[in-house]
PDB file of all heavy atoms in Angstrom:
ATOM      1  N   LYS A   1     108.296 160.836  35.451  1.00 83.00           N
ATOM      2  CA  LYS A   1     108.990 159.545  35.405  1.00 83.00           C
ATOM      3  C   LYS A   1     108.027 158.428  35.025  1.00 83.00           C
ATOM      4  O   LYS A   1     108.382 157.501  34.285  1.00 83.00           O
ATOM      5  CB  LYS A   1     109.655 159.261  36.745  1.00 83.00           C
ATOM      6  CG  LYS A   1     110.860 160.164  37.031  1.00 83.00           C
ATOM      7  CD  LYS A   1     111.556 159.769  38.317  1.00 83.00           C
ATOM      8  CE  LYS A   1     112.792 160.644  38.557  1.00 83.00           C
ATOM      9  NZ  LYS A   1     113.484 160.289  39.820  1.00 83.00           N
ATOM     10  N   SER A   2     106.783 158.514  35.521  1.00 83.00           N
ATOM     11  CA  SER A   2     105.784 157.512  35.145  1.00 83.00           C
ATOM     12  C   SER A   2     105.490 157.588  33.654  1.00 83.00           C
ATOM     13  O   SER A   2     105.334 156.557  32.978  1.00 83.00           O
ATOM     14  CB  SER A   2     104.496 157.727  35.942  1.00 83.00           C
ATOM     15  OG  SER A   2     104.726 157.582  37.325  1.00 83.00           O
ATOM     16  N   PHE A   3     105.437 158.813  33.126  1.00 84.00           N
ATOM     17  CA  PHE A   3     105.179 158.994  31.692  1.00 84.00           C
ATOM     18  C   PHE A   3     106.281 158.340  30.864  1.00 84.00           C
ATOM     19  O   PHE A   3     106.012 157.672  29.858  1.00 84.00           O
ATOM     20  CB  PHE A   3     105.083 160.488  31.371  1.00 84.00           C
ATOM     21  CG  PHE A   3     104.816 160.794  29.926  1.00 84.00           C
ATOM     22  CD1 PHE A   3     103.540 160.674  29.411  1.00 84.00           C
ATOM     23  CD2 PHE A   3     105.836 161.204  29.086  1.00 84.00           C
ATOM     24  CE1 PHE A   3     103.281 160.952  28.077  1.00 84.00           C
ATOM     25  CE2 PHE A   3     105.602 161.486  27.756  1.00 84.00           C
ATOM     26  CZ  PHE A   3     104.313 161.362  27.246  1.00 84.00           C
ATOM     27  N   GLN A   4     107.528 158.520  31.298  1.00 81.00           N
ATOM     28  CA  GLN A   4     108.647 157.928  30.558  1.00 81.00           C
ATOM     29  C   GLN A   4     108.581 156.410  30.531  1.00 81.00           C
ATOM     30  O   GLN A   4     109.049 155.771  29.583  1.00 81.00           O
ATOM     31  CB  GLN A   4     109.974 158.364  31.186  1.00 81.00           C
ATOM     32  CG  GLN A   4     110.348 159.810  30.900  1.00 81.00           C
ATOM     33  CD  GLN A   4     111.689 160.171  31.510  1.00 81.00           C
ATOM     34  OE1 GLN A   4     112.008 159.765  32.622  1.00 81.00           O
ATOM     35  NE2 GLN A   4     112.478 160.944  30.769  1.00 81.00           N
ATOM     36  N   GLY A   5     107.963 155.830  31.551  1.00 83.00           N
ATOM     37  CA  GLY A   5     107.890 154.381  31.622  1.00 83.00           C
ATOM     38  C   GLY A   5     106.725 153.774  30.866  1.00 83.00           C
ATOM     39  O   GLY A   5     106.614 152.548  30.775  1.00 83.00           O
ATOM     40  N   LEU A   6     105.857 154.617  30.305  1.00 82.00           N
ATOM     41  CA  LEU A   6     104.696 154.100  29.583  1.00 82.00           C
ATOM     42  C   LEU A   6     105.089 153.595  28.198  1.00 82.00           C
ATOM     43  O   LEU A   6     106.025 154.112  27.581  1.00 82.00           O
ATOM     44  CB  LEU A   6     103.642 155.204  29.421  1.00 82.00           C
ATOM     45  CG  LEU A   6     102.927 155.689  30.677  1.00 82.00           C
ATOM     46  CD1 LEU A   6     102.039 156.884  30.343  1.00 82.00           C
ATOM     47  CD2 LEU A   6     102.105 154.576  31.302  1.00 82.00           C
ATOM     48  N   PRO A   7     104.373 152.611  27.656  1.00 82.00           N
ATOM     49  CA  PRO A   7     104.583 152.215  26.254  1.00 82.00           C
ATOM     50  C   PRO A   7     104.256 153.397  25.336  1.00 82.00           C
ATOM     51  O   PRO A   7     103.454 154.266  25.696  1.00 82.00           O
ATOM     52  CB  PRO A   7     103.582 151.069  26.052  1.00 82.00           C
ATOM     53  CG  PRO A   7     103.221 150.607  27.414  1.00 82.00           C
ATOM     54  CD  PRO A   7     103.347 151.791  28.316  1.00 82.00           C
ATOM     55  N   PRO A   8     104.858 153.456  24.151  1.00 81.00           N
ATOM     56  CA  PRO A   8     104.621 154.582  23.244  1.00 81.00           C
ATOM     57  C   PRO A   8     103.141 154.838  22.956  1.00 81.00           C
ATOM     58  O   PRO A   8     102.718 155.990  22.864  1.00 81.00           O
ATOM     59  CB  PRO A   8     105.378 154.170  21.973  1.00 81.00           C
ATOM     60  CG  PRO A   8     106.470 153.280  22.462  1.00 81.00           C
ATOM     61  CD  PRO A   8     105.889 152.532  23.621  1.00 81.00           C
ATOM     62  N   GLY A   9     102.356 153.764  22.823  1.00 76.00           N
ATOM     63  CA  GLY A   9     100.932 153.949  22.540  1.00 76.00           C
ATOM     64  C   GLY A   9     100.223 154.707  23.647  1.00 76.00           C
ATOM     65  O   GLY A   9      99.421 155.607  23.385  1.00 76.00           O
ATOM     66  N   LEU A  10     100.523 154.366  24.894  1.00 78.00           N
ATOM     67  CA  LEU A  10      99.888 155.045  26.023  1.00 78.00           C
ATOM     68  C   LEU A  10     100.389 156.481  26.163  1.00 78.00           C
ATOM     69  O   LEU A  10      99.637 157.378  26.555  1.00 78.00           O
ATOM     70  CB  LEU A  10     100.128 154.262  27.307  1.00 78.00           C
ATOM     71  CG  LEU A  10      99.384 152.924  27.414  1.00 78.00           C
ATOM     72  CD1 LEU A  10      99.773 152.202  28.695  1.00 78.00           C
ATOM     73  CD2 LEU A  10      97.878 153.142  27.364  1.00 78.00           C
ATOM     74  N   ARG A  11     101.656 156.708  25.832  1.00 82.00           N
ATOM     75  CA  ARG A  11     102.164 158.084  25.846  1.00 82.00           C
ATOM     76  C   ARG A  11     101.417 158.923  24.815  1.00 82.00           C
ATOM     77  O   ARG A  11     101.090 160.081  25.046  1.00 82.00           O
ATOM     78  CB  ARG A  11     103.664 158.103  25.584  1.00 82.00           C
ATOM     79  CG  ARG A  11     104.507 157.863  26.829  1.00 82.00           C
ATOM     80  CD  ARG A  11     105.983 157.965  26.533  1.00 82.00           C
ATOM     81  NE  ARG A  11     106.516 156.706  26.035  1.00 82.00           N
ATOM     82  CZ  ARG A  11     107.706 156.564  25.475  1.00 82.00           C
ATOM     83  NH1 ARG A  11     108.482 157.621  25.315  1.00 82.00           N
ATOM     84  NH2 ARG A  11     108.124 155.381  25.080  1.00 82.00           N
ATOM     85  N   GLY A  12     101.157 158.311  23.647  1.00 79.00           N
ATOM     86  CA  GLY A  12     100.411 159.026  22.607  1.00 79.00           C
ATOM     87  C   GLY A  12      99.004 159.358  23.051  1.00 79.00           C
ATOM     88  O   GLY A  12      98.498 160.449  22.773  1.00 79.00           O
ATOM     89  N   VAL A  13      98.348 158.432  23.732  1.00 76.00           N
ATOM     90  CA  VAL A  13      96.992 158.671  24.227  1.00 76.00           C
ATOM     91  C   VAL A  13      96.984 159.838  25.205  1.00 76.00           C
ATOM     92  O   VAL A  13      96.123 160.730  25.142  1.00 76.00           O
ATOM     93  CB  VAL A  13      96.426 157.398  24.894  1.00 76.00           C
ATOM     94  CG1 VAL A  13      95.132 157.718  25.641  1.00 76.00           C
ATOM     95  CG2 VAL A  13      96.183 156.322  23.848  1.00 76.00           C
ATOM     96  N   HIS A  14      97.952 159.845  26.124  1.00 77.00           N
ATOM     97  CA  HIS A  14      98.003 160.937  27.100  1.00 77.00           C
ATOM     98  C   HIS A  14      98.283 162.273  26.413  1.00 77.00           C
ATOM     99  O   HIS A  14      97.675 163.295  26.760  1.00 77.00           O
ATOM    100  CB  HIS A  14      99.066 160.671  28.164  1.00 77.00           C
ATOM    101  CG  HIS A  14      99.063 161.711  29.250  1.00 77.00           C
ATOM    102  ND1 HIS A  14      98.213 161.666  30.317  1.00 77.00           N
ATOM    103  CD2 HIS A  14      99.777 162.859  29.376  1.00 77.00           C
ATOM    104  CE1 HIS A  14      98.408 162.722  31.081  1.00 77.00           C
ATOM    105  NE2 HIS A  14      99.357 163.460  30.535  1.00 77.00           N
ATOM    106  N   ALA A  15      99.182 162.277  25.440  1.00 82.00           N
ATOM    107  CA  ALA A  15      99.488 163.512  24.724  1.00 82.00           C
ATOM    108  C   ALA A  15      98.255 164.033  23.983  1.00 82.00           C
ATOM    109  O   ALA A  15      98.013 165.242  23.925  1.00 82.00           O
ATOM    110  CB  ALA A  15     100.639 163.279  23.742  1.00 82.00           C
ATOM    111  N   LEU A  16      97.448 163.115  23.420  1.00 78.00           N
ATOM    112  CA  LEU A  16      96.224 163.516  22.727  1.00 78.00           C
ATOM    113  C   LEU A  16      95.242 164.149  23.702  1.00 78.00           C
ATOM    114  O   LEU A  16      94.627 165.192  23.400  1.00 78.00           O
ATOM    115  CB  LEU A  16      95.593 162.303  22.046  1.00 78.00           C
ATOM    116  CG  LEU A  16      94.266 162.538  21.317  1.00 78.00           C
ATOM    117  CD1 LEU A  16      94.432 163.555  20.197  1.00 78.00           C
ATOM    118  CD2 LEU A  16      93.713 161.220  20.765  1.00 78.00           C
ATOM    119  N   ARG A  17      95.091 163.560  24.874  1.00 81.00           N
ATOM    120  CA  ARG A  17      94.203 164.141  25.886  1.00 81.00           C
ATOM    121  C   ARG A  17      94.662 165.539  26.279  1.00 81.00           C
ATOM    122  O   ARG A  17      93.847 166.454  26.448  1.00 81.00           O
ATOM    123  CB  ARG A  17      94.154 163.249  27.131  1.00 81.00           C
ATOM    124  CG  ARG A  17      93.404 161.953  26.958  1.00 81.00           C
ATOM    125  CD  ARG A  17      93.194 161.283  28.306  1.00 81.00           C
ATOM    126  NE  ARG A  17      92.346 162.100  29.167  1.00 81.00           N
ATOM    127  CZ  ARG A  17      92.369 162.074  30.496  1.00 81.00           C
ATOM    128  NH1 ARG A  17      93.224 161.279  31.123  1.00 81.00           N
ATOM    129  NH2 ARG A  17      91.562 162.836  31.206  1.00 81.00           N
ATOM    130  N   ALA A  18      95.973 165.709  26.424  1.00 83.00           N
ATOM    131  CA  ALA A  18      96.511 167.018  26.784  1.00 83.00           C
ATOM    132  C   ALA A  18      96.241 168.038  25.684  1.00 83.00           C
ATOM    133  O   ALA A  18      95.914 169.200  25.957  1.00 83.00           O
ATOM    134  CB  ALA A  18      98.012 166.914  27.064  1.00 83.00           C
ATOM    135  N   MET A  19      96.351 167.615  24.411  1.00 82.00           N
ATOM    136  CA  MET A  19      96.079 168.516  23.296  1.00 82.00           C
ATOM    137  C   MET A  19      94.613 168.947  23.287  1.00 82.00           C
ATOM    138  O   MET A  19      94.295 170.128  23.070  1.00 82.00           O
ATOM    139  CB  MET A  19      96.425 167.841  21.977  1.00 82.00           C
ATOM    140  CG  MET A  19      96.259 168.733  20.758  1.00 82.00           C
ATOM    141  SD  MET A  19      95.954 167.811  19.229  1.00 82.00           S
ATOM    142  CE  MET A  19      94.256 167.261  19.487  1.00 82.00           C
ATOM    143  N   VAL A  20      93.708 168.001  23.515  1.00 83.00           N
ATOM    144  CA  VAL A  20      92.282 168.327  23.542  1.00 83.00           C
ATOM    145  C   VAL A  20      91.994 169.339  24.642  1.00 83.00           C
ATOM    146  O   VAL A  20      91.254 170.316  24.444  1.00 83.00           O
ATOM    147  CB  VAL A  20      91.444 167.047  23.739  1.00 83.00           C
ATOM    148  CG1 VAL A  20      89.984 167.396  24.005  1.00 83.00           C
ATOM    149  CG2 VAL A  20      91.552 166.154  22.499  1.00 83.00           C
ATOM    150  N   TYR A  21      92.592 169.127  25.818  1.00 86.00           N
ATOM    151  CA  TYR A  21      92.400 170.068  26.929  1.00 86.00           C
ATOM    152  C   TYR A  21      92.899 171.456  26.550  1.00 86.00           C
ATOM    153  O   TYR A  21      92.221 172.467  26.787  1.00 86.00           O
ATOM    154  CB  TYR A  21      93.132 169.560  28.172  1.00 86.00           C
ATOM    155  CG  TYR A  21      93.073 170.509  29.349  1.00 86.00           C
ATOM    156  CD1 TYR A  21      91.987 170.497  30.216  1.00 86.00           C
ATOM    157  CD2 TYR A  21      94.098 171.426  29.587  1.00 86.00           C
ATOM    158  CE1 TYR A  21      91.924 171.370  31.293  1.00 86.00           C
ATOM    159  CE2 TYR A  21      94.044 172.297  30.655  1.00 86.00           C
ATOM    160  CZ  TYR A  21      92.957 172.271  31.507  1.00 86.00           C
ATOM    161  OH  TYR A  21      92.896 173.150  32.568  1.00 86.00           O
ATOM    162  N   ASP A  22      94.076 171.523  25.925  1.00 88.00           N
ATOM    163  CA  ASP A  22      94.652 172.818  25.545  1.00 88.00           C
ATOM    164  C   ASP A  22      93.770 173.563  24.553  1.00 88.00           C
ATOM    165  O   ASP A  22      93.582 174.782  24.657  1.00 88.00           O
ATOM    166  CB  ASP A  22      96.046 172.632  24.950  1.00 88.00           C
ATOM    167  CG  ASP A  22      97.081 172.203  25.982  1.00 88.00           C
ATOM    168  OD1 ASP A  22      96.809 172.357  27.185  1.00 88.00           O
ATOM    169  OD2 ASP A  22      98.148 171.702  25.580  1.00 88.00           O
ATOM    170  N   THR A  23      93.218 172.851  23.569  1.00 88.00           N
ATOM    171  CA  THR A  23      92.369 173.523  22.585  1.00 88.00           C
ATOM    172  C   THR A  23      91.070 174.009  23.223  1.00 88.00           C
ATOM    173  O   THR A  23      90.539 175.051  22.840  1.00 88.00           O
ATOM    174  CB  THR A  23      92.055 172.605  21.390  1.00 88.00           C
ATOM    175  OG1 THR A  23      91.399 171.423  21.847  1.00 88.00           O
ATOM    176  CG2 THR A  23      93.318 172.227  20.638  1.00 88.00           C
ATOM    177  N   GLN A  24      90.565 173.272  24.210  1.00 88.00           N
ATOM    178  CA  GLN A  24      89.372 173.736  24.916  1.00 88.00           C
ATOM    179  C   GLN A  24      89.652 175.050  25.638  1.00 88.00           C
ATOM    180  O   GLN A  24      88.865 176.002  25.559  1.00 88.00           O
ATOM    181  CB  GLN A  24      88.915 172.692  25.935  1.00 88.00           C
ATOM    182  CG  GLN A  24      88.277 171.477  25.312  1.00 88.00           C
ATOM    183  CD  GLN A  24      87.679 170.551  26.354  1.00 88.00           C
ATOM    184  OE1 GLN A  24      87.410 169.413  26.055  1.00 88.00           O
ATOM    185  NE2 GLN A  24      87.463 171.009  27.563  1.00 88.00           N
ATOM    186  N   VAL A  25      90.772 175.094  26.339  1.00 90.00           N
ATOM    187  CA  VAL A  25      91.137 176.312  27.065  1.00 90.00           C
ATOM    188  C   VAL A  25      91.354 177.469  26.095  1.00 90.00           C
ATOM    189  O   VAL A  25      90.934 178.605  26.344  1.00 90.00           O
ATOM    190  CB  VAL A  25      92.388 176.064  27.929  1.00 90.00           C
ATOM    191  CG1 VAL A  25      92.879 177.365  28.556  1.00 90.00           C
ATOM    192  CG2 VAL A  25      92.091 175.035  29.020  1.00 90.00           C
ATOM    193  N   GLN A  26      92.004 177.183  24.961  1.00 92.00           N
ATOM    194  CA  GLN A  26      92.240 178.218  23.968  1.00 92.00           C
ATOM    195  C   GLN A  26      90.919 178.780  23.455  1.00 92.00           C
ATOM    196  O   GLN A  26      90.767 179.989  23.255  1.00 92.00           O
ATOM    197  CB  GLN A  26      93.049 177.642  22.794  1.00 92.00           C
ATOM    198  CG  GLN A  26      93.557 178.678  21.805  1.00 92.00           C
ATOM    199  CD  GLN A  26      94.761 179.448  22.323  1.00 92.00           C
ATOM    200  OE1 GLN A  26      95.336 179.068  23.332  1.00 92.00           O
ATOM    201  NE2 GLN A  26      95.122 180.514  21.646  1.00 92.00           N
ATOM    202  N   GLY A  27      89.947 177.899  23.237  1.00 93.00           N
ATOM    203  CA  GLY A  27      88.643 178.359  22.775  1.00 93.00           C
ATOM    204  C   GLY A  27      87.962 179.256  23.787  1.00 93.00           C
ATOM    205  O   GLY A  27      87.380 180.290  23.426  1.00 93.00           O
ATOM    206  N   ILE A  28      88.020 178.886  25.057  1.00 96.00           N
ATOM    207  CA  ILE A  28      87.428 179.720  26.106  1.00 96.00           C
ATOM    208  C   ILE A  28      88.110 181.084  26.148  1.00 96.00           C
ATOM    209  O   ILE A  28      87.450 182.127  26.229  1.00 96.00           O
ATOM    210  CB  ILE A  28      87.539 179.024  27.475  1.00 96.00           C
ATOM    211  CG1 ILE A  28      86.739 177.727  27.479  1.00 96.00           C
ATOM    212  CG2 ILE A  28      87.068 179.945  28.598  1.00 96.00           C
ATOM    213  CD1 ILE A  28      87.011 176.833  28.681  1.00 96.00           C
ATOM    214  N   MET A  29      89.436 181.079  26.078  1.00 96.00           N
ATOM    215  CA  MET A  29      90.189 182.328  26.134  1.00 96.00           C
ATOM    216  C   MET A  29      89.796 183.246  24.985  1.00 96.00           C
ATOM    217  O   MET A  29      89.562 184.448  25.179  1.00 96.00           O
ATOM    218  CB  MET A  29      91.684 182.037  26.093  1.00 96.00           C
ATOM    219  CG  MET A  29      92.566 183.290  26.182  1.00 96.00           C
ATOM    220  SD  MET A  29      94.320 182.895  26.419  1.00 96.00           S
ATOM    221  CE  MET A  29      94.702 182.091  24.861  1.00 96.00           C
ATOM    222  N   MET A  30      89.698 182.706  23.767  1.00 96.00           N
ATOM    223  CA  MET A  30      89.352 183.520  22.608  1.00 96.00           C
ATOM    224  C   MET A  30      87.937 184.068  22.722  1.00 96.00           C
ATOM    225  O   MET A  30      87.692 185.242  22.428  1.00 96.00           O
ATOM    226  CB  MET A  30      89.504 182.703  21.328  1.00 96.00           C
ATOM    227  CG  MET A  30      90.943 182.398  20.949  1.00 96.00           C
ATOM    228  SD  MET A  30      91.931 183.904  20.702  1.00 96.00           S
ATOM    229  CE  MET A  30      91.053 184.662  19.335  1.00 96.00           C
ATOM    230  N   MET A  31      86.995 183.245  23.139  1.00 97.00           N
ATOM    231  CA  MET A  31      85.617 183.712  23.237  1.00 97.00           C
ATOM    232  C   MET A  31      85.463 184.772  24.327  1.00 97.00           C
ATOM    233  O   MET A  31      84.727 185.753  24.152  1.00 97.00           O
ATOM    234  CB  MET A  31      84.680 182.530  23.503  1.00 97.00           C
ATOM    235  CG  MET A  31      84.607 181.516  22.355  1.00 97.00           C
ATOM    236  SD  MET A  31      84.200 182.243  20.747  1.00 97.00           S
ATOM    237  CE  MET A  31      82.585 182.918  21.070  1.00 97.00           C
ATOM    238  N   GLN A  32      86.162 184.598  25.452  1.00 97.00           N
ATOM    239  CA  GLN A  32      86.086 185.618  26.504  1.00 97.00           C
ATOM    240  C   GLN A  32      86.759 186.910  26.070  1.00 97.00           C
ATOM    241  O   GLN A  32      86.346 188.011  26.468  1.00 97.00           O
ATOM    242  CB  GLN A  32      86.694 185.092  27.808  1.00 97.00           C
ATOM    243  CG  GLN A  32      85.859 183.981  28.420  1.00 97.00           C
ATOM    244  CD  GLN A  32      86.229 183.641  29.857  1.00 97.00           C
ATOM    245  OE1 GLN A  32      85.423 183.047  30.572  1.00 97.00           O
ATOM    246  NE2 GLN A  32      87.414 183.982  30.313  1.00 97.00           N
ATOM    247  N   ALA A  33      87.784 186.800  25.209  1.00 97.00           N
ATOM    248  CA  ALA A  33      88.470 187.996  24.718  1.00 97.00           C
ATOM    249  C   ALA A  33      87.598 188.810  23.781  1.00 97.00           C
ATOM    250  O   ALA A  33      87.857 189.999  23.565  1.00 97.00           O
ATOM    251  CB  ALA A  33      89.763 187.606  24.003  1.00 97.00           C
ATOM    252  N   LEU A  34      86.558 188.189  23.235  1.00 97.00           N
ATOM    253  CA  LEU A  34      85.664 188.883  22.295  1.00 97.00           C
ATOM    254  C   LEU A  34      84.352 189.295  22.946  1.00 97.00           C
ATOM    255  O   LEU A  34      83.445 189.783  22.272  1.00 97.00           O
ATOM    256  CB  LEU A  34      85.370 187.970  21.097  1.00 97.00           C
ATOM    257  CG  LEU A  34      86.587 187.522  20.278  1.00 97.00           C
ATOM    258  CD1 LEU A  34      86.163 186.524  19.209  1.00 97.00           C
ATOM    259  CD2 LEU A  34      87.290 188.719  19.647  1.00 97.00           C
ATOM    260  N   SER A  35      84.280 189.120  24.261  1.00 97.00           N
ATOM    261  CA  SER A  35      83.016 189.381  24.954  1.00 97.00           C
ATOM    262  C   SER A  35      83.298 189.894  26.356  1.00 97.00           C
ATOM    263  O   SER A  35      84.455 190.143  26.723  1.00 97.00           O
ATOM    264  CB  SER A  35      82.183 188.093  25.010  1.00 97.00           C
ATOM    265  OG  SER A  35      82.896 187.084  25.727  1.00 97.00           O
ATOM    266  N   GLU A  36      82.258 190.051  27.136  1.00 95.00           N
ATOM    267  CA  GLU A  36      82.395 190.472  28.536  1.00 95.00           C
ATOM    268  C   GLU A  36      81.479 189.593  29.398  1.00 95.00           C
ATOM    269  O   GLU A  36      80.401 190.014  29.809  1.00 95.00           O
ATOM    270  CB  GLU A  36      82.038 191.952  28.697  1.00 95.00           C
ATOM    271  CG  GLU A  36      83.030 192.899  28.014  1.00 95.00           C
ATOM    272  CD  GLU A  36      82.647 194.359  28.132  1.00 95.00           C
ATOM    273  OE1 GLU A  36      81.466 194.641  28.473  1.00 95.00           O
ATOM    274  OE2 GLU A  36      83.506 195.225  27.904  1.00 95.00           O
ATOM    275  N   PRO A  37      81.895 188.335  29.648  1.00 96.00           N
ATOM    276  CA  PRO A  37      81.028 187.425  30.410  1.00 96.00           C
ATOM    277  C   PRO A  37      80.703 187.971  31.792  1.00 96.00           C
ATOM    278  O   PRO A  37      81.548 188.580  32.452  1.00 96.00           O
ATOM    279  CB  PRO A  37      81.869 186.145  30.512  1.00 96.00           C
ATOM    280  CG  PRO A  37      82.908 186.262  29.448  1.00 96.00           C
ATOM    281  CD  PRO A  37      83.176 187.717  29.286  1.00 96.00           C
ATOM    282  N   LYS A  38      79.480 187.729  32.235  1.00 94.00           N
ATOM    283  CA  LYS A  38      79.085 188.166  33.575  1.00 94.00           C
ATOM    284  C   LYS A  38      79.822 187.373  34.644  1.00 94.00           C
ATOM    285  O   LYS A  38      80.165 187.889  35.711  1.00 94.00           O
ATOM    286  CB  LYS A  38      77.575 188.023  33.742  1.00 94.00           C
ATOM    287  CG  LYS A  38      76.763 189.012  32.896  1.00 94.00           C
ATOM    288  CD  LYS A  38      75.268 188.814  33.111  1.00 94.00           C
ATOM    289  CE  LYS A  38      74.485 189.896  32.372  1.00 94.00           C
ATOM    290  NZ  LYS A  38      74.679 189.814  30.907  1.00 94.00           N
ATOM    291  N   LYS A  39      80.070 186.105  34.366  1.00 96.00           N
ATOM    292  CA  LYS A  39      80.816 185.247  35.287  1.00 96.00           C
ATOM    293  C   LYS A  39      81.937 184.577  34.500  1.00 96.00           C
ATOM    294  O   LYS A  39      81.817 183.411  34.105  1.00 96.00           O
ATOM    295  CB  LYS A  39      79.883 184.214  35.931  1.00 96.00           C
ATOM    296  CG  LYS A  39      78.803 184.842  36.798  1.00 96.00           C
ATOM    297  CD  LYS A  39      77.916 183.782  37.437  1.00 96.00           C
ATOM    298  CE  LYS A  39      76.842 184.428  38.306  1.00 96.00           C
ATOM    299  NZ  LYS A  39      75.944 183.410  38.936  1.00 96.00           N
ATOM    300  N   PRO A  40      83.035 185.292  34.270  1.00 96.00           N
ATOM    301  CA  PRO A  40      84.103 184.741  33.417  1.00 96.00           C
ATOM    302  C   PRO A  40      84.762 183.518  34.026  1.00 96.00           C
ATOM    303  O   PRO A  40      84.861 183.384  35.250  1.00 96.00           O
ATOM    304  CB  PRO A  40      85.085 185.907  33.279  1.00 96.00           C
ATOM    305  CG  PRO A  40      84.814 186.794  34.454  1.00 96.00           C
ATOM    306  CD  PRO A  40      83.355 186.649  34.749  1.00 96.00           C
TER     307      PRO A  40
END
């Protein structure tokens, strides 16, 4: 509900942050899938 009340610019900023977080996680997942980390 707080997100819905934000101005469009601030909603865009939050969405960009969420995208950056998702790509970071995706990168970790792919690299761990190609290896066997000692502390995954």
